[in-house]
């Protein structure tokens, strides 16, 4: 499972051509009209390629732009409140940094967990404590001990070379932004990342 996080349209179709089927639009400080305009274009592209499209934070814009759901940070709207607004037909992801965060998200009805950060990243302004490989290994082991089976996606400064070791911890997939956007070929980098994820899963 690869989630591509982006704040722009350029590069998106290349990523979709590379096989990514899960896109998160993250335009944290943008005006509503800019998020809506970009989001509608993202939704159109995702439908064309059969990809899921979620938007960061903005529960109020999900239905209007045709997104499949929302990803909520720790300072965003509570999962339970978002579920009451959107209903059961939409995906709701929740950010977590600890086992307690995961427990709370599961209890509130989240569909998946974005666990991180793996390492320092400039994507977020208020960064939670960095987990590193050791942190992922510990938390995923605790999840197995408690029979928590919600999909867990690693996030935060992840590069292609990090994926085999991360997958070994038991995560479901990874969320990537800069490693794809800053590569010479977003399409080829997407293929490379998916190959590593799928090789481990198979």
């Amino acid at each position: 499972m690869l989630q591509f996080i982006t704040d722009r349209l350029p590069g998106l179709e290349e990523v979709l051509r590379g096989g990514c089927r899960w896109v998160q639009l993250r335009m944290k400080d943008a005006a509503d009209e800019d998020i809506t305009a970009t989001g509608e274009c993202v939704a159109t592209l995702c439908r064309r390629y059969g990809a899921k499209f979620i938007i960061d934070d903005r529960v109020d814009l999900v239905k209007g732009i045709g997104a499949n759901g929302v990803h909520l940070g720790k300072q965003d709207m509570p999962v339970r409140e978002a579920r009451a607004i959107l209903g059961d037909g939409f995906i709701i992801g929740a950010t977590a940094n600890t086992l307690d965060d995961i427990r709370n998200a599961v209890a509130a009805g989240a569909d998946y967990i974005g666990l991180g950060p793996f390492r320092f990243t400039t994507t977020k302004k208020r960064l939670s404590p960095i987990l590193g490989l050791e942190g992922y290994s510990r938390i995923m082991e605790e999840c197995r001990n408690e029979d928590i089976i919600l999909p867990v996606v690693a996030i935060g400064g992840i590069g292609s070379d990090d994926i085999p070791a991360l997958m070994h911890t038991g995560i479901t997939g990874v969320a990537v932004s800069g490693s794809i956007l800053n590569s010479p070929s977003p399409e080829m980098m997407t293929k490379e990342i998916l190959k590593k994820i799928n090789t481990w899963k198979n």
Side-chain angles (χ1 to χ4, degrees):
M1 178 188 294
L2 168 63
Q3 182 179 131
F4 173 55
I5 301 177
T6 187
D7 60 357
R8 66 196 76 165
L9 282 173
L12 175 57
E13 188 158 15
E14 290 94 321
V15 172
L16 292 167
R17 283 202 304 263
C20 180
R21 293 297 176 262
W22 189 5
V23 175
Q24 180 187 151
L25 180 65
R26 191 176 193 276
M27 299 174 66
K28 208 67 176 176
D29 298 319
D32 286 9
E33 55 267 29
D34 294 332
I35 299 173
T36 298
T38 302
E40 288 173 348
C41 293
V42 173
T44 298
L45 276 173
C46 285
R47 283 193 296 270
R48 185 182 303 164
Y49 284 87
K52 296 292 185 185
F53 166 41
I54 59 174
I55 186 168
D56 179 74
D57 180 15
R58 298 301 302 272
V59 176
D60 56 321
L61 299 180
V62 169
K63 294 180 180 179
I65 65 175
N68 299 109
V70 66
H71 184 89
L72 300 170
K74 295 178 71 173
Q75 308 303 319
D76 296 336
M77 181 184 291
V79 170
R80 205 177 299 277
E81 185 178 341
R83 180 65 72 198
I85 293 170
L86 294 176
D88 293 333
F90 290 85
I91 299 166
I92 298 179
T95 296
N97 180 249
T98 66
L99 179 63
D100 277 343
D101 290 340
I102 294 175
R103 289 185 185 123
N104 292 335
V106 170
D111 294 301
Y112 76 91
I113 302 295
L115 179 63
F118 173 61
R119 63 164 59 92
F120 178 78
T121 174
T122 58
T123 305
K124 285 200 170 187
K125 293 181 179 178
R126 295 186 296 275
L127 206 62
S128 295
I130 291 168
L131 294 176
L133 202 58
E134 184 179 337
Y136 279 93
S137 297
R138 182 187 72 253
I139 292 173
M140 294 309 298
E141 179 66 24
E142 291 168 338
C143 285
R144 287 189 289 273
N145 290 341
E146 296 191 16
D147 292 325
I148 295 173
I149 58 173
L150 214 61
V152 174
V153 178
I155 187 171
I158 295 169
S160 176
D161 292 342
D162 300 314
I163 291 171
L166 276 168
M167 294 300 294
H168 185 72
T169 68
I171 60 167
T172 311
V174 298
V176 178
S177 181
S179 294
I180 291 177
L181 283 172
N182 299 328
S183 68
S185 171
E187 181 176 350
M188 294 308 297
M189 178 57 72
T190 300
K191 288 180 178 179
E192 178 182 321
I193 290 172
L194 284 169
K195 183 177 180 181
K196 290 185 177 181
I197 292 172
N198 294 330
T199 295
W200 175 260
K201 291 177 72 175
N202 294 333

